[in-house]
Amino acid sequence: GQNIDQPTEMTATEGAIVQINCTYQTSGFNGLFWYQQHAGEAPTFLSYNVLDGLEEKGRFSSFLSRSKGYSYLLLKELQMKDSASYLCAVRDRDYKLSFGAGTTVTVRA
Amino acid sequence: IAGITQAPTSQILAAGRRMTLRCTQDMRHNAMYWYRQDLGLGLRLIHYSNTAGTTGKGEVPDGYSVSRANTDDFPLTLASAVPSQTSVYFCASSEAGDTGELFFGEGSRLTVL
């Protein structure tokens, strides 16, 4: 099974940078995903890491260390529309995705 | 392009009633999933199907059943609803392959009284 931990809430100022950490314990690792979910909406895919290192996609970057069971999502140049919940998810060898409880990010002007 | 369609969007149901949540995808994805999302608990996998004709149990399968008669449809049935099944239910699908990102439906909000 999977045990996935991430902070419950974070607050940051518009234009700033926020880093959301995720730690996991898994019986069979096959990739780590980050999803964004705005209130009342469905989750949408942000990033995917399967090898160690940093994946950059515009203002968003995601990092993975498999030996440490650790990932982070970095949000740069924060905008008001980035206020949302960010979900860390780990995929197992059967291609099932297990999610953390999510981190609610509030961006303030 | 619809992607994944869920129905109903919202439903209030009396305890003990039978309910089927419908899910249809038009992306020809092999794998489909049902999750429930509860405040503070995140998304939890109920059942999944890696291909038509096969299903598997997720983290919280009790009280739910699924079927996968064809590639496109993956209904979730609550045989006898209980108040603890009050939740938002998301259907998702994915392709096999490296990223295998999940595509989610818009969700079905179910209230069991």
Side-chain angles (χ1 to χ4, degrees):
Chain A
Q2 325 280 9
N3 186 18
I4 302 166
D5 291 313
Q6 52 182 129
T8 303
E9 295 180 334
M10 302 183 75
T11 301
T13 305
E14 197 174 14
I17 298 172
V18 69
Q19 177 174 315
I20 305 169
N21 295 323
C22 172
T23 58
Y24 65 88
Q25 295 173 318
T26 178
S27 56
F29 179 81
N30 190 21
L32 188 138
F33 295 75
W34 285 95
Y35 282 80
Q36 180 190 60
Q37 186 177 25
H38 285 101
E41 298 182 7
T44 55
F45 170 78
L46 282 180
S47 70
Y48 165 75
N49 295 72
V50 67
L51 300 176
D52 291 352
L54 189 68
E55 293 286 338
E56 296 185 88
K57 190 184 292 186
R59 295 188 297 113
F60 294 0
S61 303
S62 58
F63 172 83
L64 175 66
S65 169
R66 289 172 296 171
S67 63
K68 295 181 179 178
Y70 168 69
S71 173
Y72 68 72
L73 180 69
L74 195 69
L75 286 63
K76 294 177 279 190
E77 300 170 16
L78 279 173
Q79 302 175 9
M80 299 301 289
K81 67 179 182 180
D82 297 330
S83 291
S85 184
Y86 291 85
L87 314 178
C88 176
V90 175
R91 185 173 65 185
D92 65 17
R93 292 196 186 99
D94 294 326
Y95 287 85
K96 299 193 304 294
L97 221 58
S98 295
F99 287 81
T103 300
T104 299
V105 172
T106 302
V107 181
R108 294 181 174 169
Chain B
I1 297 176
I4 296 183
T5 303
Q6 291 185 233
T9 302
S10 180
Q11 182 77 43
I12 298 174
L13 187 67
R17 297 296 296 269
R18 180 184 180 90
M19 177 72 194
T20 295
L21 302 180
R22 299 183 299 279
C23 176
T24 300
Q25 55 116 348
D26 62 3
M27 296 176 283
R28 307 301 294 173
H29 287 167
N30 282 327
M32 296 188 75
Y33 310 84
W34 274 105
Y35 287 88
R36 61 178 288 174
Q37 187 172 37
D38 303 288
L39 196 63
L41 296 177
L43 287 157
R44 292 181 292 168
L45 183 64
I46 305 170
H47 285 287
Y48 66 97
S49 170
N50 285 333
T51 189
T54 69
T55 62
K57 293 181 179 179
E59 181 184 356
V60 288
D62 294 343
Y64 306 94
S65 63
V66 293
S67 62
R68 187 88 184 278
N70 57 61
T71 298
D72 298 341
D73 300 302
F74 192 44
L76 176 74
T77 297
L78 290 66
S80 179
V82 295
S84 62
Q85 293 177 312
T86 293
S87 188
V88 179
Y89 291 85
F90 286 101
C91 180
S93 71
S94 70
E95 289 181 338
D98 286 344
T99 56
E101 65 178 274
L102 294 185
F103 294 84
F104 285 87
E106 291 303 308
S108 296
R109 181 175 295 276
L110 184 65
T111 302
V112 183
L113 301 177

